[in-house]
Amino acid sequence: MLLSTSYRVVFFFVQRKSNVRQIYTKRVLRAWDTMKKNFRVFEKSDDDGFHVIYRMLGLKLKVFNVKASLRDLREQVEDLKSRINRDNADLVAAMWETYGCTDFLLKHFDFISHSRFAWQSYFCHFWLIWFSCLLESGQIEKAERMIDRFLAYRNGRLDEFERFLPVSKYMFDRGIYNERVMMAAKVHEALEKSRAENLFKNLLEGKKVAVVGNAPSEIGRKKGAEIDAHDLVIRFNNYRLKGFEKDYGSKTDIWVRGSGGSDVEDRTEPYRLVAWEADYDHWRVAHNHLDILYRQLCEGQKIYNFDWACHMSLRKASGVDFPTTGMVLIWEIFRKFGNFNNVDFYGFSFCQDKFDTYATHYFNDRTEAEAKRRSRVHRLDKEAEFLQRLVNGKGNFDEN
């Protein structure tokens, strides 16, 4: 494939504004059509057959058939656009989940919103996070305008709105909703009500509480009856009772479950409370969790979640960016009561002389390799050191 030396082909037009790249597909295809009119093709017979290699924005494009080249180019462009959009959306989501609605995020969204290309191609979660931020910051009128513009580009489709509870509640109140947005709005109302009524603190107030982790530290210690003698027993995620009653007890009043992964098994038995780890004002409802939350609500199960203040104050006090579900629960108890006078702990690494470096369970649901892989996102040694000081009252902790 030869090109005239007096003709230059521009494959991509990249407009840079701050760190944002906008790739215009129409210009790509126009440049490709122009190029085809200005070259001659010479077939070659080598091991790979006739081919030409182009390098564009880090992508390697090998074209074996000139007639198929346009189709291949389209696929490469769409793949690149998808990767850029997903990376941008994931970065924004991480910032939102970690730091909440910041001025930086609001300015970033506002800047991107001036691009028609972005409205047409960016992942819907990107915009739904912005709408969440606008609602949180009190910019209700702007949120309404931007949501209406977003719906115009999507022909009114509301899919994925249900993963953002505050946005779903706002849409439900406006009368613009489908069944799943309605479900999300009802869940949001229930969680807001449980926090407003201080449901978690009222349930624990004046009671003897056993917090039972899933670490194997209680194996052979026969503390099951001691655990069950408490007024309330709290357990986590995929806890097991059958076959472990002598060491871990048989009673469960409060189930605390993670909200990010799909590995937590659903449970349908009634509890006095089901506490979800996520701050759903700054966290997307993942996987099938909306169906589970809504079913619990319809069954009369009391539900609760740990809010923004809990997560932010814990990160500030501990220096741990991604705490375990157990750590979040223990910190919430401390925030509500300021001490652990009526609380006993079982099945936690910080209760041991030597801290665990990865999370194993007394019911052996993981291989060692799997346990190490799943523990990479956490700092278990740092968690254990912090919780040991917190529970033993050794240190000053700012819970605000």
Side-chain angles (χ1 to χ4, degrees), residues 318-374:
S318 67
V320 175
D321 292 328
F322 196 77
T324 61
T325 305
M327 187 181 190
V328 175
L329 177 279
I330 294 171
W331 180 251
E332 182 75 342
I333 294 175
F334 180 74
R335 288 183 65 240
K336 298 300 183 183
F337 297 99
N339 59 65
F340 300 98
N341 293 340
N342 293 321
V343 182
D344 295 313
F345 297 94
Y346 306 86
F348 282 93
S349 176
F350 72 85
C351 299
Q352 305 169 176
D353 294 330
K354 184 178 180 181
F355 301 151
D356 293 334
T357 56
Y358 57 91
T360 56
H361 296 154
Y362 65 86
F363 39 87
N364 292 322
D365 64 330
R366 298 174 176 174
T367 64
E368 181 176 334
E370 177 71 4
K372 289 181 178 179
R373 185 184 67 81
R374 289 185 173 275

Side-chain angles (χ1 to χ4, degrees), residues 81-82 84-90 92-93 96 109 112 117-134 146-147 149-165 167-168 171 178 181 284-285:
K81 285 167 54 181
S82 176
I84 292 174
N85 292 343
R86 185 175 297 279
D87 288 346
N88 193 22
D90 288 347
V92 165
W96 176 61
F109 285 125
I112 298 295
F117 166 82
W119 282 103
Q120 294 173 332
S121 61
Y122 272 37
F123 287 118
C124 61
H125 285 193
F126 178 90
W127 301 111
L128 288 164
I129 292 173
W130 186 28
F131 306 152
S132 299
C133 290
L134 290 175
M146 296 300 102
I147 290 174
R149 182 178 180 182
F150 180 66
L151 290 176
Y153 278 110
R154 306 184 85 216
N155 297 319
R157 290 186 295 111
L158 293 171
D159 48 296
E160 295 300 307
F161 270 70
E162 71 272 10
R163 297 197 181 276
F164 297 79
L165 297 189
V167 179
S168 293
M171 297 299 289
N178 56 22
V181 169
R284 296 163 288 185
V285 179

